[in-house]
Amino acid sequence: MKSIRVGQGVDIHQLVKGRKMILGGVHIPHEKGPLGHSDADVLIHAICDALLGAAALGDIGYHFPDTSSEFKDIDSGLLLKQVCELLSSKGWKIGNIDSTLILERPKIKPHIPAMQERLSALMGIETDAISIKATTNEKMGYVGRGEGVLAFASCLIFKD
Ligand code: MG
C-alpha cells in the first residue's frame, strides 16, 4: 500500500502600514501588509508548515530562521519551492492543499485564481488541487480590527 500522510500548518502576522500585502505569492493592493522578516506571506508560510509537518521534517522556522539575513524580505515563494524540493528528495509527492485565510479586509476572492496559478507553478501540482478559502473574523478581536491576518493549511502527501 502506498504511504499517505496529512499535515497542518498555521501562521499569524501583524498587519501594518508601509508593508506590501503579499498573500499566496500575489500582491494585493491594500493600505497595510503583513509584518515579518521575509515578505511575511502567511498563506505560503502555513502551506510550508503543513507540508513539513506531513513529512515530519520540522517547521519553517527551523529551515529558514528569522535571525538569518539570507531570508530578510525574501519572496516566500522561494521558501515554498525549497520545501517542495526537500519533500521530493525524500520521495514525497503532494496530493492536495486546502487552506483558509482569515482577515477583515480586503476581499480575497478576486485574487484566488492568481494565487492558485502561482502556487501551482511553485509546487508543481494542478490548480484544482489547491484550495484557498477566505473568511473574516466578524469584526472581533485583533483580526476584526484589521491588526492581523491568519492562515491555516492542510495537505496530503504520498509515496507511490
Ligand atoms: Mg510567518
Side-chain angles (χ1 to χ4, degrees):
M1 184 195 154
K2 71 180 177 184
S3 188
I4 298 173
R5 300 265 191 95
V6 295
Q8 59 90 21
V10 180
D11 196 31
I12 308 173
H13 280 267
Q14 275 184 60
L15 285 176
V16 297
K17 290 204 163 99
R19 289 276 298 184
K20 261 190 182 178
M21 178 173 273
I22 297 174
L23 297 173
V26 171
H27 177 229
I28 297 173
H30 191 55
E31 74 265 17
K32 289 179 174 179
L35 179 66
H37 186 66
S38 64
D39 65 5
D41 187 329
V42 281
L43 181 56
I44 286 187
H45 292 183
I47 292 171
C48 285
D49 263 0
L51 292 167
L52 290 168
L57 288 169
D59 63 23
I60 193 170
Y62 172 79
H63 292 277
F64 312 108
D66 64 7
T67 47
S68 168
S69 58
E70 191 188 338
F71 306 118
K72 180 97 180 85
D73 295 324
I74 196 171
D75 172 358
S76 293
L78 300 175
L79 307 183
L80 177 58
K81 219 170 169 180
Q82 282 185 49
V83 166
C84 291
E85 283 163 10
L86 177 63
L87 262 69
S88 176
S89 75
K90 309 271 183 196
W92 292 110
K93 293 177 180 171
I94 302 167
N96 74 302
I97 301 286
D98 184 21
S99 65
T100 305
L101 276 164
I102 309 180
L103 75 169
E104 215 60 27
R105 286 192 314 115
K107 286 280 173 230
I108 296 303
K109 193 179 170 191
H111 305 285
I112 288 176
M115 292 181 188
Q116 288 173 302
E117 288 292 338
R118 177 89 206 280
L119 295 173
S120 166
L122 289 165
M123 287 190 282
I125 60 172
E126 298 298 320
T127 52
D128 67 4
I130 304 167
S131 157
I132 303 165
K133 310 182 300 296
T135 186
T136 71
N137 211 46
E138 296 288 337
K139 299 190 170 65
M140 295 180 290
Y142 66 91
V143 174
R145 291 189 297 271
E147 294 167 9
V149 52
L150 281 96
F152 296 85
S154 304
C155 70
L156 183 143
I157 61 172
F158 64 96
K159 286 181 186 180
D160 286 323

mmCIF file of all heavy atoms in Angstrom, residues 92-116:
data_model
loop_
_atom_site.group_PDB
_atom_site.id
_atom_site.type_symbol
_atom_site.label_atom_id
_atom_site.label_comp_id
_atom_site.label_asym_id
_atom_site.label_seq_id
_atom_site.Cartn_x
_atom_site.Cartn_y
_atom_site.Cartn_z
ATOM 1 N N TRP A 92 8.471 12.175 -1.431
ATOM 2 C CA TRP A 92 7.072 12.574 -1.221
ATOM 3 C C TRP A 92 6.535 13.349 -2.413
ATOM 4 O O TRP A 92 7.221 14.195 -2.978
ATOM 5 C CB TRP A 92 6.933 13.434 0.038
ATOM 6 C CG TRP A 92 7.185 12.699 1.319
ATOM 7 C CD1 TRP A 92 8.251 12.850 2.148
ATOM 8 C CD2 TRP A 92 6.351 11.699 1.913
ATOM 9 N NE1 TRP A 92 8.141 12.001 3.222
ATOM 10 C CE2 TRP A 92 6.982 11.291 3.110
ATOM 11 C CE3 TRP A 92 5.129 11.117 1.555
ATOM 12 C CZ2 TRP A 92 6.445 10.315 3.945
ATOM 13 C CZ3 TRP A 92 4.582 10.147 2.386
ATOM 14 C CH2 TRP A 92 5.245 9.764 3.577
ATOM 15 N N LYS A 93 5.290 13.068 -2.769
ATOM 16 C CA LYS A 93 4.561 13.852 -3.765
ATOM 17 C C LYS A 93 3.389 14.521 -3.059
ATOM 18 O O LYS A 93 2.879 13.993 -2.064
ATOM 19 C CB LYS A 93 4.044 12.946 -4.883
ATOM 20 C CG LYS A 93 5.166 12.350 -5.712
ATOM 21 C CD LYS A 93 4.616 11.404 -6.753
ATOM 22 C CE LYS A 93 5.756 10.806 -7.570
ATOM 23 N NZ LYS A 93 5.294 9.727 -8.440
ATOM 24 N N ILE A 94 2.982 15.656 -3.586
ATOM 25 C CA ILE A 94 1.884 16.398 -2.960
ATOM 26 C C ILE A 94 0.568 16.012 -3.619
ATOM 27 O O ILE A 94 0.450 16.047 -4.852
ATOM 28 C CB ILE A 94 2.103 17.923 -3.078
ATOM 29 C CG1 ILE A 94 3.429 18.317 -2.420
ATOM 30 C CG2 ILE A 94 0.943 18.695 -2.441
ATOM 31 C CD1 ILE A 94 3.882 19.728 -2.753
ATOM 32 N N GLY A 95 -0.402 15.614 -2.783
ATOM 33 C CA GLY A 95 -1.729 15.288 -3.305
ATOM 34 C C GLY A 95 -2.584 16.526 -3.476
ATOM 35 O O GLY A 95 -2.996 16.870 -4.576
ATOM 36 N N ASN A 96 -2.827 17.211 -2.371
ATOM 37 C CA ASN A 96 -3.615 18.446 -2.439
ATOM 38 C C ASN A 96 -3.329 19.343 -1.241
ATOM 39 O O ASN A 96 -2.742 18.916 -0.244
ATOM 40 C CB ASN A 96 -5.120 18.143 -2.491
ATOM 41 C CG ASN A 96 -5.653 17.695 -1.142
ATOM 42 O OD1 ASN A 96 -5.180 16.713 -0.580
ATOM 43 N ND2 ASN A 96 -6.611 18.432 -0.604
ATOM 44 N N ILE A 97 -3.754 20.581 -1.403
ATOM 45 C CA ILE A 97 -3.658 21.587 -0.339
ATOM 46 C C ILE A 97 -5.053 22.151 -0.125
ATOM 47 O O ILE A 97 -5.758 22.442 -1.099
ATOM 48 C CB ILE A 97 -2.750 22.776 -0.779
ATOM 49 C CG1 ILE A 97 -1.333 22.319 -1.120
ATOM 50 C CG2 ILE A 97 -2.764 23.900 0.265
ATOM 51 C CD1 ILE A 97 -0.464 21.946 0.042
ATOM 52 N N ASP A 98 -5.440 22.315 1.124
ATOM 53 C CA ASP A 98 -6.661 23.059 1.426
ATOM 54 C C ASP A 98 -6.279 24.124 2.437
ATOM 55 O O ASP A 98 -5.556 23.836 3.402
ATOM 56 C CB ASP A 98 -7.739 22.127 2.003
ATOM 57 C CG ASP A 98 -9.052 22.854 2.228
ATOM 58 O OD1 ASP A 98 -9.262 23.914 1.597
ATOM 59 O OD2 ASP A 98 -9.872 22.364 3.026
ATOM 60 N N SER A 99 -6.700 25.357 2.207
ATOM 61 C CA SER A 99 -6.258 26.442 3.079
ATOM 62 C C SER A 99 -7.363 27.464 3.309
ATOM 63 O O SER A 99 -8.308 27.562 2.522
ATOM 64 C CB SER A 99 -5.032 27.125 2.471
ATOM 65 O OG SER A 99 -5.374 27.749 1.252
ATOM 66 N N THR A 100 -7.210 28.215 4.394
ATOM 67 C CA THR A 100 -8.156 29.294 4.718
ATOM 68 C C THR A 100 -7.387 30.501 5.228
ATOM 69 O O THR A 100 -6.513 30.373 6.092
ATOM 70 C CB THR A 100 -9.148 28.851 5.816
ATOM 71 O OG1 THR A 100 -9.795 27.644 5.410
ATOM 72 C CG2 THR A 100 -10.195 29.926 6.064
ATOM 73 N N LEU A 101 -7.696 31.654 4.678
ATOM 74 C CA LEU A 101 -7.164 32.931 5.166
ATOM 75 C C LEU A 101 -8.243 33.578 6.021
ATOM 76 O O LEU A 101 -9.430 33.531 5.670
ATOM 77 C CB LEU A 101 -6.863 33.861 3.996
ATOM 78 C CG LEU A 101 -5.526 33.693 3.295
ATOM 79 C CD1 LEU A 101 -5.552 34.404 1.949
ATOM 80 C CD2 LEU A 101 -4.390 34.235 4.155
ATOM 81 N N ILE A 102 -7.835 34.190 7.142
ATOM 82 C CA ILE A 102 -8.798 34.948 7.946
ATOM 83 C C ILE A 102 -8.289 36.373 8.068
ATOM 84 O O ILE A 102 -7.209 36.612 8.646
ATOM 85 C CB ILE A 102 -9.005 34.336 9.349
ATOM 86 C CG1 ILE A 102 -9.315 32.834 9.240
ATOM 87 C CG2 ILE A 102 -10.145 35.054 10.070
ATOM 88 C CD1 ILE A 102 -9.520 32.154 10.576
ATOM 89 N N LEU A 103 -9.007 37.282 7.475
ATOM 90 C CA LEU A 103 -8.686 38.711 7.588
ATOM 91 C C LEU A 103 -9.935 39.525 7.287
ATOM 92 O O LEU A 103 -10.839 39.055 6.601
ATOM 93 C CB LEU A 103 -7.516 39.120 6.687
ATOM 94 C CG LEU A 103 -7.701 39.254 5.188
ATOM 95 C CD1 LEU A 103 -6.475 39.917 4.586
ATOM 96 C CD2 LEU A 103 -7.945 37.923 4.526
ATOM 97 N N GLU A 104 -9.958 40.727 7.829
ATOM 98 C CA GLU A 104 -11.176 41.533 7.707
ATOM 99 C C GLU A 104 -11.281 42.178 6.317
ATOM 100 O O GLU A 104 -12.343 42.184 5.719
ATOM 101 C CB GLU A 104 -11.171 42.594 8.806
ATOM 102 C CG GLU A 104 -12.540 42.919 9.347
ATOM 103 C CD GLU A 104 -13.272 41.719 9.970
ATOM 104 O OE1 GLU A 104 -12.610 40.799 10.453
ATOM 105 O OE2 GLU A 104 -14.512 41.732 9.963
ATOM 106 N N ARG A 105 -10.200 42.725 5.842
ATOM 107 C CA ARG A 105 -10.170 43.391 4.541
ATOM 108 C C ARG A 105 -8.789 43.193 3.927
ATOM 109 O O ARG A 105 -7.816 43.034 4.666
ATOM 110 C CB ARG A 105 -10.427 44.907 4.706
ATOM 111 C CG ARG A 105 -11.853 45.295 5.023
ATOM 112 C CD ARG A 105 -12.085 46.798 4.891
ATOM 113 N NE ARG A 105 -11.043 47.602 5.513
ATOM 114 C CZ ARG A 105 -10.218 48.405 4.835
ATOM 115 N NH1 ARG A 105 -10.297 48.534 3.543
ATOM 116 N NH2 ARG A 105 -9.297 49.091 5.471
ATOM 117 N N PRO A 106 -8.623 43.311 2.615
ATOM 118 C CA PRO A 106 -9.654 43.480 1.586
ATOM 119 C C PRO A 106 -10.306 42.134 1.239
ATOM 120 O O PRO A 106 -9.927 41.100 1.804
ATOM 121 C CB PRO A 106 -8.845 44.008 0.405
ATOM 122 C CG PRO A 106 -7.508 43.353 0.568
ATOM 123 C CD PRO A 106 -7.283 43.273 2.049
ATOM 124 N N LYS A 107 -11.212 42.155 0.298
ATOM 125 C CA LYS A 107 -11.839 40.915 -0.172
ATOM 126 C C LYS A 107 -10.785 40.087 -0.918
ATOM 127 O O LYS A 107 -10.050 40.611 -1.763
ATOM 128 C CB LYS A 107 -13.004 41.234 -1.115
ATOM 129 C CG LYS A 107 -14.222 41.751 -0.370
ATOM 130 C CD LYS A 107 -15.011 40.591 0.244
ATOM 131 C CE LYS A 107 -16.140 41.080 1.130
ATOM 132 N NZ LYS A 107 -16.158 40.449 2.456
ATOM 133 N N ILE A 108 -10.690 38.820 -0.607
ATOM 134 C CA ILE A 108 -9.654 37.949 -1.173
ATOM 135 C C ILE A 108 -10.132 37.230 -2.433
ATOM 136 O O ILE A 108 -9.344 36.921 -3.330
ATOM 137 C CB ILE A 108 -9.212 36.929 -0.094
ATOM 138 C CG1 ILE A 108 -8.556 37.655 1.097
ATOM 139 C CG2 ILE A 108 -8.259 35.880 -0.656
ATOM 140 C CD1 ILE A 108 -7.362 38.524 0.731
ATOM 141 N N LYS A 109 -11.428 36.995 -2.518
ATOM 142 C CA LYS A 109 -11.983 36.166 -3.597
ATOM 143 C C LYS A 109 -11.465 36.519 -5.001
ATOM 144 O O LYS A 109 -11.088 35.608 -5.752
ATOM 145 C CB LYS A 109 -13.508 36.253 -3.560
ATOM 146 C CG LYS A 109 -14.191 35.208 -4.418
ATOM 147 C CD LYS A 109 -15.700 35.344 -4.306
ATOM 148 C CE LYS A 109 -16.374 34.467 -5.350
ATOM 149 N NZ LYS A 109 -17.792 34.749 -5.464
ATOM 150 N N PRO A 110 -11.402 37.820 -5.376
ATOM 151 C CA PRO A 110 -10.949 38.123 -6.743
ATOM 152 C C PRO A 110 -9.503 37.702 -7.022
ATOM 153 O O PRO A 110 -9.102 37.604 -8.178
ATOM 154 C CB PRO A 110 -11.083 39.652 -6.848
ATOM 155 C CG PRO A 110 -11.845 40.099 -5.657
ATOM 156 C CD PRO A 110 -11.757 39.024 -4.619
ATOM 157 N N HIS A 111 -8.717 37.498 -5.967
ATOM 158 C CA HIS A 111 -7.290 37.190 -6.124
ATOM 159 C C HIS A 111 -6.991 35.692 -6.064
ATOM 160 O O HIS A 111 -5.852 35.280 -6.295
ATOM 161 C CB HIS A 111 -6.492 37.914 -5.036
ATOM 162 C CG HIS A 111 -6.728 39.389 -5.013
ATOM 163 N ND1 HIS A 111 -6.184 40.246 -5.943
ATOM 164 C CD2 HIS A 111 -7.493 40.158 -4.196
ATOM 165 C CE1 HIS A 111 -6.588 41.482 -5.688
ATOM 166 N NE2 HIS A 111 -7.384 41.453 -4.642
ATOM 167 N N ILE A 112 -7.996 34.889 -5.739
ATOM 168 C CA ILE A 112 -7.750 33.455 -5.536
ATOM 169 C C ILE A 112 -7.254 32.742 -6.800
ATOM 170 O O ILE A 112 -6.282 31.980 -6.722
ATOM 171 C CB ILE A 112 -8.995 32.773 -4.910
ATOM 172 C CG1 ILE A 112 -9.110 33.226 -3.441
ATOM 173 C CG2 ILE A 112 -8.909 31.246 -5.010
ATOM 174 C CD1 ILE A 112 -10.332 32.723 -2.711
ATOM 175 N N PRO A 113 -7.820 33.013 -7.994
ATOM 176 C CA PRO A 113 -7.284 32.324 -9.187
ATOM 177 C C PRO A 113 -5.800 32.611 -9.424
ATOM 178 O O PRO A 113 -5.043 31.699 -9.764
ATOM 179 C CB PRO A 113 -8.159 32.862 -10.327
ATOM 180 C CG PRO A 113 -9.449 33.241 -9.658
ATOM 181 C CD PRO A 113 -9.045 33.775 -8.313
ATOM 182 N N ALA A 114 -5.378 33.862 -9.195
ATOM 183 C CA ALA A 114 -3.953 34.205 -9.385
ATOM 184 C C ALA A 114 -3.092 33.493 -8.344
ATOM 185 O O ALA A 114 -1.977 33.027 -8.652
ATOM 186 C CB ALA A 114 -3.760 35.714 -9.294
ATOM 187 N N MET A 115 -3.590 33.384 -7.114
ATOM 188 C CA MET A 115 -2.840 32.656 -6.065
ATOM 189 C C MET A 115 -2.705 31.181 -6.442
ATOM 190 O O MET A 115 -1.626 30.594 -6.288
ATOM 191 C CB MET A 115 -3.577 32.750 -4.717
ATOM 192 C CG MET A 115 -3.624 34.114 -4.101
ATOM 193 S SD MET A 115 -4.518 33.988 -2.508
ATOM 194 C CE MET A 115 -4.656 35.703 -2.091
ATOM 195 N N GLN A 116 -3.800 30.604 -6.922
ATOM 196 C CA GLN A 116 -3.752 29.181 -7.316
ATOM 197 C C GLN A 116 -2.728 28.964 -8.431
ATOM 198 O O GLN A 116 -1.980 27.987 -8.413
ATOM 199 C CB GLN A 116 -5.126 28.705 -7.775
ATOM 200 C CG GLN A 116 -6.122 28.554 -6.652
ATOM 201 C CD GLN A 116 -7.508 28.235 -7.174
ATOM 202 O OE1 GLN A 116 -8.060 28.999 -7.966
ATOM 203 N NE2 GLN A 116 -8.070 27.115 -6.757
#
